[in-house]
Amino acid sequence: MAKTSAIVVGTGGMARHHLSVMLDMSNTRICGLVEVAEDQRQLTRDLLEGRGRRCPPFYDTIKALLAAQGAPDTAFIATPHKYHLENARDCLRAGADVLLEKPMVINASEARRLIKVRDEVRKLLVVAFPGSLSPAIRKAKQMIAGGKLGRITSVSAYVHQNWKVVTVGQWRQDPEISGGGFLFDTGSHMVNTVVDLIDQDVIEVCALMDDRGTPVDINSTVSGRFRDGTLLSLAAAGDSIHCTSEVTVIGDRGILRTGIWGERLLFKPLKESAFAEVRHPRSRGVWEQFLKVRAGRQANPCPPEVGLRFAKLMDMIRKSDRTRTTVRAR
């Protein structure tokens, strides 16, 4: 693939995780960074210098970077959730193709606004849900569509993490900036991967949330129904230990197991007693997949329409918890 100039907007811990991969990719030249916090700037400098790289210049805003450098080929946006819409809009309108961290935006209204911008400027926008960008999940979807599992009857998933403890005092527990708690943050991977695997809208939802004495949801349980009648059951426990997940797709001729990030894929057909690993292409992460889409080597597996589908479902989940009722899609 041709070399691309890239900027990273927001250089916190998750951005540095992605940066560590991007630095190893010869087709990526990081030309600028947008970050307002000096401690995060220093940690990013340390990362690059520790890898023998010269740190590109930092800017306080996207506007300042564009004034100094002009538009890059691409932008990876990894800012707090509240700023995703504005940041993605500014980069798209400047002419950059954008990889946008999950969740795409705060709600369905913002998702529709961002899709409108994408349509106006006709640039590439990919949402960085690792599950949707995972070759394992794509393989699983092919197996489901090809009838390997027979008729899908239900899908269940869980994720647990010591999220409540590790996010104390951070923006992730500020609902005005985060847009939600554990289910909207780590749990968003679970919600999106489950819906992506079934590839349908959820038409009915019943949800309960517990904030565990914090300003945001920590523990959640969600049950629902897809358009074709397939049932779903989700459990998110943010007041736990470690970080572990499981997604199980149950059919009348087989069962699939994977993780919410698409990090593994196991299958048990009707006549077998044990699960076996399913071979699938390996991935270096969301940036590699984004560049493949940009180069035309694969279709976009996570366009903003996927972000809208997720946002609509999260709006339903919030309403169900708030009203203590079953919510149906309009």
Side-chain angles (χ1 to χ4, degrees), residues 41-301:
R41 288 187 176 195
Q42 188 56 54
L43 288 168
T44 305
R45 291 189 194 100
D46 293 343
L47 170 64
L48 272 76
E49 291 170 2
R51 300 283 288 274
R53 304 294 184 86
R54 182 177 180 182
C55 187
F58 279 97
Y59 300 89
D60 288 337
T61 64
I62 295 170
K63 182 178 179 180
L65 183 150
L66 295 173
Q69 297 189 1
D73 299 325
T74 58
F76 191 175
I77 296 170
T79 50
H81 308 152
K82 176 182 178 179
Y83 308 110
H84 284 189
L85 173 61
E86 176 186 353
N87 295 157
R89 179 197 64 203
D90 291 349
C91 290
L92 288 167
R93 286 180 174 168
D97 292 324
V98 172
L99 178 62
L100 177 58
E101 255 293 358
K102 63 79 202 165
M104 184 174 82
V105 286
I106 296 294
N107 53 44
S109 175
E110 288 192 355
R112 293 186 182 96
R113 289 165 61 190
L114 187 54
I115 288 173
K116 184 177 180 181
V117 172
R118 186 276 315 266
D119 291 344
E120 289 172 353
V121 300
R122 298 185 179 182
K123 301 301 293 184
L124 175 65
L125 175 59
V126 179
V127 185
F129 271 117
S132 290
L133 297 178
S134 162
I137 297 301
R138 291 202 292 275
K139 178 66 176 179
K141 292 177 69 174
Q142 292 170 5
M143 294 174 68
I144 292 169
K148 292 286 187 181
L149 281 70
R151 181 176 61 87
I152 305 302
T153 58
S154 66
V155 55
S156 62
Y158 70 80
V159 59
H160 63 80
Q161 185 183 8
N162 57 338
W163 191 91
K164 176 185 174 183
V165 174
V166 300
T167 59
V168 168
Q170 298 183 10
W171 64 265
R172 295 179 190 277
Q173 287 198 29
D174 181 346
E176 291 299 315
I177 299 176
S178 66
F182 181 61
L183 187 65
F184 197 58
D185 191 36
T186 303
S188 69
H189 296 284
M190 173 179 65
V191 175
N192 182 73
T193 294
V194 165
V195 176
D196 201 2
L197 283 166
I198 305 304
D199 200 22
Q200 296 179 32
D201 287 339
V202 174
I203 63 167
E204 189 175 26
V205 133
C206 183
L208 291 172
M209 293 177 164
D210 183 353
D211 62 21
R212 305 289 289 171
T214 75
V216 294
D217 61 273
I218 300 297
N219 295 334
S220 302
T221 181
V222 180
S223 58
R225 189 188 309 273
F226 286 96
R227 186 175 57 248
D228 70 353
T230 300
L231 297 177
L232 68 96
S233 175
L234 310 177
D239 192 8
S240 183
I241 61 173
H242 312 306
C243 187
T244 305
S245 74
E246 185 82 57
V247 178
T248 305
V249 183
I250 301 172
D252 59 9
R253 298 192 61 82
I255 300 173
L256 272 176
R257 285 182 178 170
T258 184
I260 64 174
W261 297 278
E263 65 273 32
R264 60 185 179 278
L265 183 59
L266 302 170
F267 178 57
K268 181 169 71 172
L270 178 64
K271 296 183 179 181
E272 298 293 334
S273 60
F275 284 89
E277 186 175 353
V278 178
R279 297 183 64 181
H280 55 83
R282 298 301 171 184
S283 170
R284 298 172 69 182
V286 296
W287 184 254
E288 178 191 60
Q289 299 301 308
F290 168 71
L291 291 182
K292 285 184 177 181
V293 173
R294 189 170 184 268
R297 293 173 55 182
Q298 66 183 30
N300 185 355

